[in-house]
Amino acid sequence: MKVCWRSPQAPGGKSTGCRSKASMSATFKLQCHFILIVLVALRGEGRYLELREAADQDRFLLFGSDLKRALEGEQPYRRALRCLDLLSLPGQFTFTAARPQLHCAAFFISEPEEFISVRYDAVAIDCQGGDFLQVFDGWILKGEKFPSSQDHPLPTTERYVDFCKSGLSRRTIRSSQNVAMVFFRVQEPGNGFTLTITTDPNLFPCNVISQTPNGRFSLVVPHQHRNCSFSIIYPAAIKISDLTLGHFRGLPFKKPSVGCAGVGDFVELLGGTGLDPSKMTPLAGLCHPFHGPAQMKIACDNTVVRMVSSGQHINRVTFEYRQLEPYELESPDGNSIREFCLSPL
Ligand SMILES: *[C@@H]1O[C@H](CO)[C@@H](O)[C@H](O)[C@H]1NC(C)=O
């Protein structure tokens, strides 16, 4: 099965090679799309073939939640971990170096309403010799983090757990959202490690990366002084159907004159090219509660719905999103409108 490929030098959108087959499941599209981003980021020519082959073999990721549910009641899902990998199912994953592997990363993603736990079952790496195995609470791609350091509850240094420093004293590491990753280097052939990935329910998901390019979500921030981002790693149309911001309840309705500046609680739509919402461009701000529909198309590689909360209220925003079609990424004069994402309005 050869559905997804693109020369790393090819110009244009990163999902070019992944759109054509309507039959592909959303998860596979994500995997495909994501691996392309990672490929571009790592600029590893040799890995390119390796990954395409890997995608061919890994049919399990093609199946939907039915299989997932079935698997949960059965034996844990087990498979080998590759030097560059994306996993969206819980299970047990073993990496064994066939040759020295210096720059490896495995990205984990679960449903929005889940935390991810990474447990070391067995580790045989040579820390003194320069090997490493680190779990990161979030994703990092091209130097950009999700969640951004501003929105994550922990300081950046505490988001890394280094096996070579903490050993098995921190055997299970739980993420703060639906994404996590491990970085590793294993130089001696035959060395490696085994990890078990599990998920736990998260009642109020705050920072989320969507597994799918289309969907619907309600972001609820109940009396918490924190900012939450829902990230769609595609150009997307966002349709907000409902916005509740507590700060107008019982108070005289007063319209601030310009944007949302000075308002404690609001929702903003961001667009950009990287993962980090704090580096993305605010394209719209919504600081008044309303019902139904307000739509915006964001023709950037990444789209984020971000809620800023003072903690004094219960805030909620409900939205639908869908990936933009190729024709929607063109402006009327035929030029790509992605430049729009690069410069502030
Ligand atoms: C949330 O974001 C706003 C504006 O982006 C910032 O002023 C505020 O300090 C942030 N709050 C927290 C808890 O990080």
Side-chain angles (χ1 to χ4, degrees):
M1 189 178 73
K2 186 172 145 192
V3 281
C4 178
W5 64 274
R6 168 168 96 82
S7 140
Q9 289 83 25
K14 64 196 174 192
S15 52
T16 317
C18 307
R19 273 204 197 99
S20 49
K21 281 217 172 169
S23 62
M24 277 191 292
S25 77
T27 305
F28 184 67
K29 276 194 204 159
L30 173 82
Q31 183 192 33
C32 191
H33 167 92
F34 191 74
I35 280 173
L36 288 174
I37 312 175
V38 176
L39 272 176
V40 173
L42 293 181
R43 305 208 186 287
E45 309 76 36
R47 293 205 184 91
Y48 173 63
L49 283 175
E50 190 181 301
L51 275 168
R52 198 172 67 187
E53 184 191 322
D56 287 349
Q57 287 164 357
D58 195 359
R59 306 278 177 99
F60 283 105
L61 287 173
L62 291 173
F63 297 112
S65 47
D66 288 350
L67 177 67
K68 199 165 153 182
R69 271 192 294 278
L71 281 168
E72 273 159 11
E74 301 289 324
Q75 293 286 310
Y77 171 52
R78 285 198 176 92
R79 79 152 164 81
L81 193 66
R82 298 180 291 262
C83 174
L84 183 56
D85 219 332
L86 173 69
L87 296 162
S88 57
L89 281 179
Q92 194 181 52
F93 304 95
T94 298
F95 179 78
T96 309
R99 55 192 162 85
Q101 293 281 17
L102 302 183
H103 303 286
C104 298
F107 295 80
F108 305 118
I109 186 165
S110 61
E111 299 294 327
E113 304 82 7
E114 291 173 340
F115 296 112
I116 296 174
S117 291
V118 179
R119 191 185 73 211
Y120 304 125
D121 293 326
V123 183
I125 65 170
D126 180 8
C127 291
Q128 264 87 49
D131 287 359
F132 60 82
L133 173 59
Q134 284 180 338
V135 179
F136 181 72
D137 186 356
W139 275 3
I140 301 185
L141 204 54
K142 295 186 254 181
E144 295 209 3
K145 293 188 264 302
F146 184 91
S148 73
S149 26
Q150 287 167 17
D151 292 353
H152 199 281
L154 295 173
T156 302
T157 50
E158 290 178 30
R159 292 169 68 182
Y160 290 94
V161 178
D162 190 338
F163 174 82
C164 289
K165 292 200 182 110
S166 57
L168 292 179
S169 68
R170 287 196 66 187
R171 187 161 203 156
T172 301
I173 298 132
R174 194 171 89 163
S175 69
S176 309
Q177 63 287 309
N178 78 322
V179 288
M181 65 185 292
V182 295
F183 293 102
F184 52 98
R185 168 178 295 175
V186 182
Q187 297 167 99
E188 182 71 27
N191 276 357
F193 54 86
T194 297
L195 303 175
T196 292
I197 305 298
T198 52
T199 56
D200 305 302
N202 177 359
L203 286 186
F204 293 107
C206 177
N207 294 299
V208 172
I209 292 183
S210 176
Q211 277 198 33
T212 54
N214 304 311
R216 184 186 157 84
F217 195 73
S218 281
L219 189 59
V220 183
V221 184
H223 294 295
Q224 286 174 321
H225 177 47
R226 68 184 299 197
N227 299 325
C228 298
S229 291
F230 186 94
S231 175
I232 303 150
I233 53 172
Y234 300 89
I238 310 279
K239 192 159 90 185
I240 297 181
S241 57
D242 206 11
L243 174 63
T244 313
L245 296 166
H247 59 129
F248 288 104
R249 198 166 291 149
L251 292 175
F253 187 81
K254 190 165 151 263
K255 257 192 160 139
S257 46
V258 196
C260 294
V263 178
D265 298 42
F266 61 94
V267 166
E268 57 185 354
L269 301 183
L270 310 170
T273 52
L275 266 191
D276 188 335
S278 69
K279 296 182 180 156
M280 293 168 75
T281 306
L283 300 172
L286 300 158
C287 28
H288 302 289
F290 65 89
H291 286 286
Q295 177 164 297
M296 186 165 185
K297 290 182 183 178
I298 299 183
C300 304
D301 290 345
N302 292 284
T303 308
V304 160
V305 179
R306 180 168 185 262
M307 181 172 262
V308 171
S309 294
S310 62
Q312 287 161 24
H313 314 287
I314 299 174
N315 296 329
R316 171 204 292 268
V317 61
T318 301
F319 53 93
E320 281 171 42
Y321 53 99
R322 67 167 176 85
Q323 183 176 9
L324 292 181
E325 300 294 338
Y327 74 87
E328 292 175 288
L329 298 173
E330 305 284 319
S331 61
D333 59 14
N335 292 324
S336 165
I337 52 174
R338 289 181 181 213
E339 293 70 33
F340 179 70
C341 308
L342 301 173
S343 55
L345 285 181

